[in-house]
Amino acid sequence: MRADSVLLIWLALIAVHDFRRRTVPNWLVLAGAAAALAQLILEHQPVGLGWTEALLGFAAGFGALLLFYATGVMGAGDVKFAGALGLWVGPMALLPIWIGGSLLAALHGILWLALLRWPVLPRLALMLAHQRSAADGMAPSGRRPRVVPYAAYLALATAVWLIWGRQS
């Protein structure tokens, strides 16, 4: 299987899981990081990174979002995913990916807030918020609910960047 296909499958799994559950499981982040490291070892890295660029990408992805986690704005899974993503794409690609993912996440948040204020489509507002109920057994305990699936939007932005970058 080609390295870019492995990356796209991993991004799709992250996006689906984050959209559906608003979490990014550790096993999925570790699988992506392990696959990125394997691609580096085998010298089949999809965007041609070396070890230095990949490790700088990890540090940039993890470090930049760590502040957002520390302030309670973002979940730990988003931060870990950004670090693993940096292993795949390196530090230079993270900036356009962050911009694209952040714009998508902002649109999600604005639409959700608009639907809360003007409940034209209340089911869409609930779907966008994906509020967990006590019946799920996973009701947040005193923490801010995760309305925006940021890792999913980073994954989508990365897929667009990867596919669009190949076209030029």
Side-chain angles (χ1 to χ4, degrees):
M1 183 175 284
R2 292 179 33 178
D4 52 352
S5 298
V6 172
L7 175 55
L8 287 171
I9 290 168
W10 179 62
L11 293 171
L13 291 171
I14 290 285
V16 167
H17 202 284
D18 199 24
F19 275 126
R20 294 189 74 192
R21 305 222 182 210
R22 296 302 194 265
T23 62
V24 180
N26 288 333
W27 67 267
L28 197 48
V29 172
L30 288 173
L37 292 172
Q39 299 302 329
L40 283 164
I41 290 168
L42 298 172
E43 296 181 359
H44 292 295
Q45 217 282 332
V47 295
L49 295 182
W51 281 94
T52 303
E53 290 173 296
L55 294 175
L56 284 172
F58 169 79
F62 188 83
L65 296 187
L66 193 58
L67 178 62
F68 294 103
Y69 170 72
T71 59
V73 176
M74 189 172 289
D78 298 326
V79 178
K80 292 179 272 187
F81 169 68
L85 181 61
L87 284 172
W88 280 101
V89 300
M92 298 307 290
L94 285 176
L95 184 60
I97 290 169
W98 279 332
I99 291 170
S102 295
L103 288 173
L104 291 170
L107 288 174
H108 179 116
I110 290 168
L111 181 59
W112 175 69
L113 289 173
L115 288 172
L116 281 180
R117 186 170 293 253
W118 301 287
V120 178
L121 299 168
R123 293 187 68 147
L124 180 58
L126 287 174
M127 183 185 78
L128 286 172
H130 188 66
Q131 298 293 327
R132 294 185 182 139
S133 66
D136 291 338
M138 298 183 69
S141 56
R143 293 190 337 199
R144 180 185 300 183
R146 304 284 181 226
V147 174
V148 178
Y150 190 65
Y153 289 124
L154 282 179
L156 289 174
T158 304
V160 168
W161 173 84
L162 187 65
I163 293 167
W164 180 68
R166 300 267 186 212
Q167 300 294 321
S168 26

